[in-house]
Amino acid sequence: QVHLVESGGGSVQAGGSLRLSCAASGYTYCMGWFRQVPGKEREGVARIGRIDGSTGYADSVKGRFTISLDNARNTLYLQMNSLKPEDTAMYYCAADPHRCSLNAANFQYWGQGTQVTVSS
């Protein structure tokens, strides 16, 4: 069992920045960030492989968001720059023991989420 605890969400104006953190209690092959707004499916934002550090991003955040993993602290980060109102969502940290993708169905462990609100 892997426990994930997110922090760092909040409210910011468009064009601003936020950094999300996710503290993990165990080690898995892949970790990722997802987001969800009411009435819509959970969307993959970014993922990172623990062994080779390979990353993947949704097209909507490429060039603005950066995912990173501090293995010593076992903490996942998401640096979000140039935020837009459409980035407003609940953001979730997730871990997958077996594969690395942006498919939420593949991720086994989930945090409780942290809200990000971007105003125009």
Side-chain angles (χ1 to χ4, degrees), residues 37-96:
V37 297
K40 292 190 176 181
E41 290 187 357
R42 195 163 293 188
E43 173 191 17
V45 175
R47 56 87 176 160
I48 185 167
R50 183 179 293 275
I51 297 176
D52 62 5
S54 63
T55 58
Y57 295 91
D59 288 342
S60 57
V61 306
K62 281 181 182 177
R64 299 188 298 121
F65 291 11
T66 302
I67 189 170
S68 61
L69 179 61
D70 185 332
N71 279 309
R73 297 177 183 269
N74 204 13
T75 300
L76 181 72
Y77 300 100
L78 185 69
Q79 178 66 43
M80 304 185 295
N81 298 329
S82 302
L83 282 160
K84 305 175 181 179
E86 50 264 44
D87 295 318
T88 296
M90 183 72 77
Y91 282 72
Y92 297 90
C93 170
D96 186 340

